[in-house]
Amino acid sequence: MSENVLHIDHLTMRFGGVVAVNDLSMDINRGEIVALIGPNGAGKTTAFNMVTGVYTPTSGKITLMGQDITGRRPDEITKLGIARTFQNIRLFSSMTVFENVLTARHLRRTSNFLSATFRLNAAEEKRMRQETEALLKEVGLYELRDEMATSLPYGKQRLLEIARALSTQPKVLLLDEPAAGMNPQETEELGAFIKLIKDKFDLTVFLIEHHMNLVMDISDRIYVIDFGKQIAQGTPSEVQNDPAVIAAYLGVDEEEEVSPA
Amino acid sequence: MTEIKRKKLDSATVISIVIVLALYVAVFVAEQFIPATSMLFTVIKKGATYALVAVSMNLLNGFTGIFSLGQAGFMLIGAYVYGIFTIPVISRMDVYQYYNGGLVQFTLPVFVAMLLSGLAAAFLALLIGLPVLRLKSDYLAIATLGFAEIIRALFQWDKLGPITNGSNMLRLFPNFNDFNIRNADGQVVVYLSTLVPLLIAGVCIFVIILLINSTYGRALRAIKDDEIAAEAMGIRLASHKRLAFCISSFFAGVGGAMLAMYQTTVQAKSFTTAMTYEILLIVVIGGIGSVTGSCLSSFLFVACSEWWLRFLDQKQVIGDFEVPLLRNGFRLVVFSIIIMIVVLFFRQGIMGRKELPDLIRQLQGKKVKGGASK
C-alpha cells in the first residue's frame, strides 16, 4: 500500500445530545482522491471541520503524516499542510484575485512585522509575488488577477478558492462541495481541474460532493456516511452497488443521482 | 526604498508623493511669512495630531475590523508619559507643587520621550489586549471604552500624585514652539513649530502605510474580510489582532504626546469619551479603510470646528440686518447638521476605501488639486 497521509481514528463529535459524527475512521493515502459522501446532514462538513481544526472532536484522533493534529488550531493545521475550501464561498471580499492568493502565502513568511513594514524582506515579498503569479497562470486565473474577487462569476470564484488554498502549499487539499451551484459543463471541467492540480502539486485530495457524476468520475475511493456513521466504503463501483448506500439515499430526493446509470 | 517597490511605483504614486512634499514645502514657506498666531497654523498643528490618531484608529477599525473605542485612553497615556519625562528638572517644583517636586527627577530628550509615549501605550495595549481581544464587535467597543475611562480615573488618583500630579495639570514641558530655531537674543530665525508636528505625523502615517501594504497588512485585511477564511489560510488570529492593537495604540500614544505639545498642558480629565468619538467621526467621514480620507477629514474637521464655523458663535450684522439664530453654541448645531448630511449622503465617507493614488489614477493625467493629505 502507498504511504498514508491522513489517518482518522474513531472520530466522534457530539453537540450536546446530537451526535454529528459517530466513530468515523478513515485512511487517505498519498496521491489519492478520496470522496466523503452522504445525505444532507450526515455530518460530512462536521468531519471536515474537525480535520481542519474548527471543531475539537469529542473523542478520536486525527493524524497527518504520523503527527497527531487532534484539536490543534486551524492556522497550525494549515501550516502543517492541510488546506481547505468552503461550502459557501469565503473569499476576501476587499481584495483582488491576486491579493487573495498572495495573502495565503503569509503563513510561509520568515519576516516579522518590523522587517516586513520596513521592507527588509524585499526578496521574500518579491518571491511571494512571483510564486503567486505563477500559480495564477497555472490555474488559469492570471488574466483576471486585478479583478475584485467578488466580481468574478460564480465558477471562477470557486476556482479562486482552490487557488488560494493551493497558495498555502498544502499536502492535503480538502474541498467542501467544490461543484455546488455549477452547471454540468462547469462540473466536468472542475473534475479535470482537480485531477490536474493533484498531479501538478503532488496533492492528496479529500472532498465532499453531492454531484455523483463528479464523485464517481474522479474518486479513487469513496466513504459514505449517514447520521454520522460510516455505512460503506470502497471504489466507486463497489459503493454504487452497495445496498446500504442505496437505502440511505432512497429516502431522500437524490436517489436517481446515486443509482448506477 | 527597495527594488521591487521602485518597480511598482507608478506615476500616480509618484504624483501623490510630490503633492504631499509640495504641501510640506508650502507649509514651511507659509510659516516664515504669515504671523505665527494665524488660525491656519493652529488648524494644521491640531489637524496633524488628529490625523495621526485617526489613521491609527483606522488601522484597527478600517483595516483589521476590530471595533475599538479606547483611543482617548491610549492618547492619555502617551500625553502623560511625554509630560512626565520632559518637564525640565528646574520646573518640577512648580509643576508638582503639592507633591514635593514629584518622583521623576530627570528629563529625557523630546523625541525619546515621544517614542516612550508610544511604547508605553503599546505595552498597555498588549496587557489589556489579552482579555479584551477575545471579545467581538460591540462588546469589544464597550470593553475598550471602559478601559479608557478607568485610565482617566486612575491618572487622577491622588496616591499616584508624585508621578501623575494627581488631578492637577502637567505643564512647562517642551511644546511645538520649542521647535522654532532662535538666535542668541531669543528671536525666532526659522519657524518650524508647524512643520515639525506635520513631519512627525507624516512619518508615522507613512510607517502605517508601509505596514498596511506589507504581507502583515494583507493578513489584517483578510481578518477583517473573513475571520474564518483567514484562519483557514494559516493566519493566526490572536497574534495578528494583538499586533494591530499594539501598533495602533503605539501611534495613538505618539499622537497623545503631540496633543500634549499642542495644548502645552496635560490634564487627565480632558481625555474624555467625546475625544474618542471625535476621532471616530473623523474616520467615518474620511472613509473607513482609507488613510487619505482620515487625513483629509481630520484637517477639515479641525478647521471647521476651530476656525471656519466660529463666526456662527457671534452676533453677525450685515448692514442693518442682524442675522437671526447666531449665538454662542449655534456652531455646534450647524456642525451636527453637516455631519448628518455626510452620514446620510456620503455613506462611504469622503474617500470610501480609495487612497490618493487611486484618485489620481481615476483622473488620468488631468491636473489634480491635492488636498492636505498625510
Side-chain angles (χ1 to χ4, degrees):
Chain A
M1 252 327 246
S2 60
E3 178 193 347
N4 179 271
V5 175
L6 189 65
H7 178 66
I8 294 171
D9 192 24
H10 300 291
L11 212 55
T12 298
M13 183 78 221
R14 251 184 268 273
F15 296 108
V18 181
V19 185
V21 173
N22 191 0
D23 199 28
L24 180 69
S25 293
M26 294 175 78
D27 263 310
I28 298 172
N29 300 318
R30 184 165 173 185
E32 272 187 321
I33 297 180
V34 175
L36 179 63
I37 63 170
N40 286 332
K44 304 180 297 290
T45 298
T46 305
F48 253 40
N49 281 340
M50 282 189 281
V51 173
T52 53
V54 177
Y55 299 143
T56 303
T58 313
S59 66
K61 199 171 153 186
I62 305 160
T63 319
L64 175 70
M65 292 179 301
Q67 190 176 0
D68 186 0
I69 58 164
T70 321
R72 301 285 288 271
R73 279 199 318 268
D75 58 283
E76 290 177 320
I77 290 175
T78 308
K79 227 171 199 166
L80 290 170
I82 297 182
R84 72 173 292 181
T85 65
F86 293 92
Q87 189 176 345
N88 45 343
I89 296 175
R90 287 179 172 275
L91 290 168
F92 302 132
S93 54
S94 75
M95 300 189 192
T96 63
V97 169
F98 183 79
E99 287 172 318
N100 260 279
V101 179
L102 183 58
T103 302
R105 282 275 139 142
H106 182 66
L107 82 165
R108 303 285 173 216
R109 71 194 181 272
T110 54
S111 57
N112 60 33
F113 79 95
L114 283 175
S115 64
T117 301
F118 296 106
R119 304 294 188 261
L120 305 174
N121 64 334
E124 183 179 79
E125 174 81 15
K126 191 176 173 179
R127 205 192 63 233
M128 280 163 69
R129 285 174 180 276
Q130 282 168 348
E131 287 169 348
T132 302
E133 277 184 15
L135 179 63
L136 283 176
K137 276 177 191 158
E138 291 197 56
V139 300
L141 286 170
Y142 187 70
E143 309 302 317
L144 297 166
R145 65 189 180 279
D146 290 328
E147 298 286 325
M148 292 307 289
T150 42
S151 73
L152 295 185
Y154 192 76
K156 296 280 182 201
Q157 291 196 16
R158 287 252 171 237
L159 205 60
L160 177 56
E161 265 219 327
I162 297 176
R164 187 180 64 176
L166 287 177
S167 187
T168 64
Q169 296 174 322
K171 300 184 179 76
V172 184
L173 182 63
L174 268 61
L175 304 172
D176 195 347
E177 296 197 30
M182 286 188 173
N183 62 36
Q185 197 212 330
E186 283 175 324
T187 307
E188 204 168 299
E189 285 170 10
L190 179 75
F193 178 72
I194 292 172
K195 280 185 188 167
L196 180 82
I197 57 169
K198 191 208 85 174
D199 293 333
K200 217 175 225 174
F201 295 93
D202 188 21
L203 293 172
T204 304
V205 179
F206 180 23
L207 79 155
I208 295 175
E209 191 46 71
H210 277 302
H211 283 66
M212 285 309 145
N213 290 340
L214 177 70
V215 171
M216 297 305 162
D217 181 31
I218 66 172
S219 308
D220 296 310
R221 286 186 302 122
I222 298 173
Y223 286 84
V224 190
I225 60 172
D226 194 15
F227 297 110
K229 265 189 109 61
Q230 181 186 312
I231 56 172
Q233 67 144 314
T235 62
S237 57
E238 284 169 7
V239 166
Q240 270 172 323
N241 299 313
D242 193 305
V245 177
I246 295 166
Y249 272 89
L250 265 176
V252 290
D253 291 331
E254 286 155 279
E255 174 231 342
E256 72 277 5
E257 279 190 273
V258 78
S259 61
Chain B
M1 289 219 276
T2 56
E3 265 173 39
I4 13 163
K5 260 288 137 179
R6 199 174 303 140
K7 204 178 75 190
K8 265 205 72 215
L9 282 184
D10 55 346
S11 63
T13 314
V14 174
I15 294 172
S16 313
I17 293 171
V18 170
I19 290 174
V20 173
L21 289 180
L23 282 168
Y24 275 95
V25 174
V27 167
F28 176 75
V29 173
E31 207 176 357
Q32 311 310 315
F33 296 106
I34 300 174
T37 49
S38 163
M39 263 327 270
L40 176 68
F41 299 123
T42 310
V43 167
I44 294 177
K45 284 173 197 168
K46 195 176 179 188
T49 307
Y50 270 42
L52 173 57
V53 182
V55 172
S56 79
M57 192 175 195
N58 212 339
L59 176 68
L60 271 190
N61 294 0
F63 290 95
T64 321
I66 300 173
F67 190 42
S68 156
L69 290 176
Q71 237 56 9
F74 294 114
M75 286 172 78
L76 184 150
I77 291 171
Y80 263 84
V81 168
Y82 175 78
I84 289 165
F85 289 108
T86 53
I87 297 171
V89 176
I90 42 164
S91 309
R92 283 187 189 264
M93 218 48 209
D94 294 336
V95 176
Y96 290 91
Q97 49 183 329
Y98 303 111
Y99 299 100
N100 249 332
L103 267 182
V104 182
Q105 287 300 338
F106 59 90
T107 306
L108 293 175
V110 169
F111 287 104
V112 176
M114 286 185 88
L115 193 65
L116 207 61
S117 299
L119 290 177
F123 179 68
L124 212 83
L126 184 71
L127 293 184
I128 72 157
L130 290 176
V132 163
L133 286 180
R134 289 167 193 272
L135 302 170
K136 289 214 160 94
S137 63
D138 322 8
Y139 302 99
L140 178 70
I142 292 166
T144 47
L145 200 64
F147 146 79
E149 290 297 299
I150 292 168
I151 292 286
R152 192 156 62 92
L154 193 69
F155 271 69
Q156 297 182 65
W157 189 27
D158 197 47
K159 291 277 192 306
L160 285 176
I163 298 167
T164 63
N165 209 11
S167 56
N168 310 301
M169 61 172 65
L170 294 175
R171 58 202 168 84
L172 301 178
F173 46 79
N175 57 48
F176 287 150
N177 286 330
D178 294 309
F179 290 126
N180 290 332
I181 297 173
R182 292 164 198 273
N183 61 14
D185 306 331
Q187 279 192 316
V188 180
V189 194
V190 184
Y191 282 96
L192 291 175
S193 65
T194 310
L195 187 69
V196 172
L198 202 57
L199 269 178
I200 297 170
V203 168
C204 291
I205 291 171
F206 181 65
V207 171
I208 295 177
I209 292 174
L210 283 181
L211 174 80
I212 288 169
N213 290 313
S214 75
T215 178
Y216 280 85
R218 287 192 296 270
L220 297 183
R221 278 164 58 204
I223 292 174
K224 189 201 162 149
D225 283 352
D226 193 325
E227 274 194 15
I228 293 171
E231 199 176 25
M233 292 306 126
I235 295 165
R236 190 176 166 192
L237 297 181
S239 67
H240 281 82
K241 283 184 178 178
R242 205 183 310 136
L243 181 77
F245 197 51
C246 289
I247 292 174
S248 167
S249 304
F250 175 89
F251 289 112
V254 175
M258 285 176 68
L259 192 69
M261 286 197 228
Y262 166 79
Q263 292 175 336
T264 69
T265 58
V266 177
Q267 204 166 11
K269 72 176 178 198
S270 68
F271 291 85
T272 54
T273 318
M275 187 183 269
T276 303
Y277 288 145
E278 272 181 9
I279 308 284
L280 182 64
L281 198 64
I282 289 173
V283 173
V284 172
I285 290 177
I288 294 172
S290 166
V291 174
T292 315
S294 292
C295 296
L296 266 176
S297 76
S298 55
F299 285 106
L300 284 177
F301 177 88
V302 172
C304 286
S305 65
E306 306 268 327
W307 188 14
W308 295 340
L309 297 182
R310 279 283 172 194
F311 73 93
L312 294 171
D313 275 0
Q314 285 138 27
K315 211 193 277 179
Q316 303 285 335
V317 182
I318 306 167
D320 287 340
F321 175 69
E322 190 190 316
V323 184
L325 289 173
L326 296 191
R327 71 195 60 167
N328 209 4
F330 187 66
R331 176 175 59 107
L332 295 176
V333 177
V334 175
F335 203 62
S336 311
I337 293 171
I338 293 176
I339 287 163
M340 272 193 261
I341 290 171
V342 168
V343 173
L344 280 176
F345 297 104
F346 301 92
R347 226 166 273 182
Q348 300 283 305
I350 304 172
M351 296 293 290
R353 313 199 73 173
K354 288 202 232 26
E355 299 292 350
L356 188 55
D358 300 323
L359 214 61
I360 294 170
R361 265 175 225 128
Q362 249 177 20
L363 292 171
Q364 279 183 338
K366 277 183 223 158
K367 181 105 180 83
V368 181
K369 207 168 166 242
S373 135
K374 265 203 192 170

